Amino acid sequence: MKPGPRALDQLNLALDPAAPLSLQHQLRQQIVDAMHRAVLRPGQRLPSSRQLAERLGVSRNTVSLAYDGLLADGYLSSRSRSGVYVGAEVAGTRIGAGRRRRDPASPLAARLSPEPEDTGFRCPQHWHRYPFPFIDGRVDAELTPAAEWGEAIRLAGSRHEVQQWHQEGGDNDDPMLVEEIRGKILPMRGIQAGADEVLVTLSSTHALQIAGELLVRRGTPVVLERPADPAFERRLRARHADVSMLDPDSHGPLPPGAVVVTSRRHGFASGSNDPGRLLARVAAADGVLIEHDVPSGVQDTGRIASALRAFDQDGRVVYAGGLAPAVSYGEPPGMLVAPAALIERARELRARQGTTPPRLVQRAWAYFIGLGHYSSALVRAGRVLAERRTALRDALNHYLHERVSIETAPGASAYWVSVPAGMDARELARQAAEIGVLVEPGCHRDGREALCMGVTGISAARIREGVRHLARLVRGDLSPSSRRMEDEPTAPLRGKALRRAMAGASLLYSTVYGAPCTLEINADGDLAGTAGYAGEDCDRGHWWIEDDRWYRQWRQWAYGEATGYSVVVDGDQVRFFGEDGFLADTAVLTRWPSTRRGR
């Protein structure tokens, strides 16, 4: 009797024809994943391509191609007249899977430096699943030029290009990208720079951090302009710099030897309103200036202000800029522009940190810019963002006209929305996230608390409804929901209605310690949970419905105990009431991408 496919009996293999990844690549990916999780062990026999194809309902050729690729890479081995087996030497499976340590009192944990008291705003990992993500710089698929990026990546990864990589190694940047930055990107800000005056970084924030590492020491007077990068400010204080805030209306002297940091975050830079005056104050103090320029996405023709470095005659300005997030896949590269001696030191620091941007990424960006895709994509994205910005302005004016004021700048893709007196911006942002509205708390240039509301990640059709939700919160219309089931105005879901609401849904909420958490409720009864800003805390479980109550049980979370709830769905808000009849939790209910269902 031929052996059956017992090797895969414990695997939940499910191939999705609608997924972007081909069926053979999906199968290969899931088999490799099973090896790394030690579900498939070295020497274990796999079913034949015919058996597995019949089991999965795909063509035999699909399975054969997946097997061939795994055989070529050494994940599988073939034995004559015997079949296909898991390889004996596979990276990630040579050492037995150990138990995950959770002891917070370990020697490593004891040596960690204290966590900063003020961690600032951090965007949730699954920001795109929130109904109303007003986070500037997070980009939705409508803006990303997929076809153009596909061409640039194919050219950068061509055989000819790959063969050149070993000849152009070391710590130097891709010369093609440096030339594109010098010839097409920096002149948009009025900057002229030599090839030895430009350094490519992982992001604009990375460029800012490198400049700070080189120029700021213990006791160095640092003057920050609002809105300052919060992570950079915390880093300066951790280095015991003497940090103060820049008064844009002041004509007084700066501290001797000061490092002044101006910021063009979300389009604003108060120091650039009168560059000559600010540079004169810096020169009088024998100081230097770091210009942090985070590009925005709206193209306002003829209204882009020149960078401060364009006015620099004394070599006192370091430009820490970047490419536009609105047309990028992920975080776009940054650039540091400064005198050659400082760039050389920065290159050495980057090498020690191990943060040189990969050559493939640099060359892909060089092609993307050089072929004209970058400029044309900015124009297209600019039209979309201008429409969204207008929609946001109109919605804020309609729903919050008497309670807030707004500011923006030419080319910005965000508005700074003032917070009513007596209201805490961070607390308001936290409460807004609980009803599905993501906003970033911060401060106006004059120090008043405000919310930064961007339009790079939300469609124009969703803006009005998102502002309406936020307005209800600001006005106090959203009074705390009932704590008792008997006082709940909306009836709990029952039977099939409860199953329809929960199956295939995603729940977004915050943990008791403030980190975002996402729960994926699979229609087949599986649960997947991800908590933390980087998804560092994960668990799986299962759910079921019994006596009109929704039950869930995790493997580790909640002590692994089964708990049932009565569920109230009010729009996209979900309220869970425990067996005692009291409110246990609230969440935002969304639907997750269909390409992931059933996996």
Side-chain angles (χ1 to χ4, degrees), residues 43 76 96 103 126 149 159 169 198 201 242 247 294-295 347 373 379 394 400 405 462 467 490 502 508 549 577:
L76 302 181
D103 181 11
H126 299 302
W149 266 115
R159 181 177 180 179
V198 178
T201 60
D242 184 9
D247 183 355
V294 181
R347 194 181 311 279
H373 296 328
V379 172
D394 292 346
L400 287 168
S405 61
R462 301 288 293 165
V467 173
T490 304
M502 303 303 286
L508 310 173
R549 299 177 67 81
F577 292 85

Side-chain angles (χ1 to χ4, degrees), residues 248-323:
D249 298 322
S250 174
H251 294 75
L254 296 169
V259 175
V260 179
V261 183
T262 67
S263 177
R264 194 190 295 270
R265 296 185 75 222
H266 312 295
F268 284 104
S270 64
S272 63
N273 291 337
D274 190 349
R277 188 184 73 185
L278 179 59
L279 291 175
R281 293 175 66 193
V282 172
D286 193 22
V288 295
L289 187 145
I290 302 174
E291 181 179 13
H292 186 206
D293 186 4
V294 181
S296 52
V298 181
Q299 293 290 90
D300 288 351
T301 305
R303 302 181 66 187
I304 301 177
S306 297
L308 291 173
R309 181 164 173 82
F311 301 93
D312 180 27
Q313 301 295 323
D314 303 325
R316 295 184 181 275
V317 178
V318 176
Y319 178 83
L323 296 165

Side-chain angles (χ1 to χ4, degrees), residues 65-77:
L65 289 172
Y67 275 3
D68 288 345
L70 294 171
L71 284 165
D73 286 347
Y75 282 95
L76 302 181
S77 62

Side-chain angles (χ1 to χ4, degrees), residues 15 18 95 109 113 117 154 161 172 209 218 226-227 248 261 275 351 356 404 433 448 476 573 588:
L15 307 184
I95 300 176
S113 58
E117 293 184 5
R154 284 194 301 273
E161 292 286 1
N172 292 328
Q209 292 171 348
R218 177 187 287 268
R226 291 189 176 96
V261 183
T356 301
V404 304
R448 291 178 296 135
Q573 307 298 307
V588 176

Side-chain angles (χ1 to χ4, degrees), residues 134-157:
F134 291 100
I135 303 297
D136 195 36
R138 295 298 193 271
V139 182
D140 63 1
E142 182 183 0
L143 297 178
T144 308
E148 291 85 347
W149 266 115
E151 180 183 20
I153 292 171
R154 284 194 301 273
L155 290 172

Side-chain angles (χ1 to χ4, degrees), residues 112 338 402 544 560:
L112 292 175
E402 297 181 354
W544 66 96

Side-chain angles (χ1 to χ4, degrees), residues 2-5 45-56:
K2 293 183 179 180
R45 185 181 179 182
L46 296 181
S48 69
S49 58
R50 185 187 302 276
Q51 289 172 322
L52 186 54
E54 292 176 354
R55 181 171 183 172
L56 295 176

